[in-house]
Amino acid sequence: DKLAGMKELFPHILAEADKLLMVPDILNYFLTGEMVNEPSELSTTQVMSARERNISEAVCKKFGIDRKLFCRIGQHGEKIGNVRKDILEEIGIDYDIPVICVPSHDTASAVAAIPARCRGHRPYPLRYVSVRRPTKPSGGRRVPPT
């Protein structure tokens, strides 16, 4: 877990932190002033329960991570907010620009972009599954997975 490693190596940073935002979340925060955790990126921390779509209390407890670090988990397609007025003024735009919660993790974006259809011509519900094949000994050496 990234956060457990951070807590072990840099405990003072997590102790001082108020909120945890991944890079895409920070960009959205800078644009809108709204703190939202995007689910595909948040899932890389291993503290989000994909089934429940919330922060796992059990995982946080196991690693001593305060659940208060996390913000509301966004929904893909929802409007996070509008670009801040001071930014719009600086770039000379006089209308609102919405910022939308999108799958910001590269794999989630790639899977979402696949135009798959099943027989009934309805979108096929895709899920990304990563499988690590076990390595086999070969003359005392480990063979890397293929």
Side-chain angles (χ1 to χ4, degrees):
D1 176 62
K2 293 177 183 180
L3 293 176
M6 186 174 178
K7 184 173 182 174
E8 184 179 321
L9 295 173
F10 307 104
H12 59 285
I13 293 176
L14 279 180
E16 296 283 328
D18 180 53
K19 293 294 177 197
L20 181 130
L21 296 172
M22 306 298 280
V23 171
D25 303 333
I26 293 170
L27 296 175
N28 288 334
Y29 172 69
F30 288 160
L31 288 171
T32 66
E34 300 292 328
M35 291 189 196
V36 175
N37 289 128
E38 187 278 313
S40 71
E41 200 69 37
L42 183 62
S43 71
T44 66
T45 66
Q46 307 303 310
V47 298
M48 186 181 104
S49 167
R51 178 172 286 139
E52 302 295 324
R53 285 191 65 84
N54 64 15
I55 302 301
S56 169
E57 193 167 328
V59 173
C60 286
K61 186 175 181 178
K62 180 178 180 174
F63 293 103
I65 297 167
D66 190 345
R67 289 181 70 212
K68 293 178 186 174
L69 282 173
F70 301 96
C71 304
R72 178 179 68 79
I73 299 174
Q75 296 285 330
H76 295 145
E78 80 168 312
K79 179 180 168 182
I80 294 172
N82 289 321
V83 174
R84 294 185 351 236
K85 296 291 183 195
D86 59 313
I87 295 172
L88 294 175
E89 288 173 14
E90 186 174 332
I91 60 176
I93 293 179
D94 62 355
Y95 52 88
D96 286 335
I97 299 175
V99 175
I100 307 298
C101 182
V102 298
S104 55
H105 190 272
D106 57 344
T107 304
S109 294
V111 170
I114 297 172
R117 302 237 178 232
C118 55
R119 286 186 220 151
H121 300 289
R122 282 181 264 163
Y124 187 75
L126 293 173
R127 300 291 184 260
Y128 175 75
V129 178
S130 176
V131 178
R132 186 168 197 276
R133 294 178 28 187
T135 59
K136 295 179 184 177
S138 173
R141 298 179 317 187
R142 291 181 58 100
V143 177
T146 56

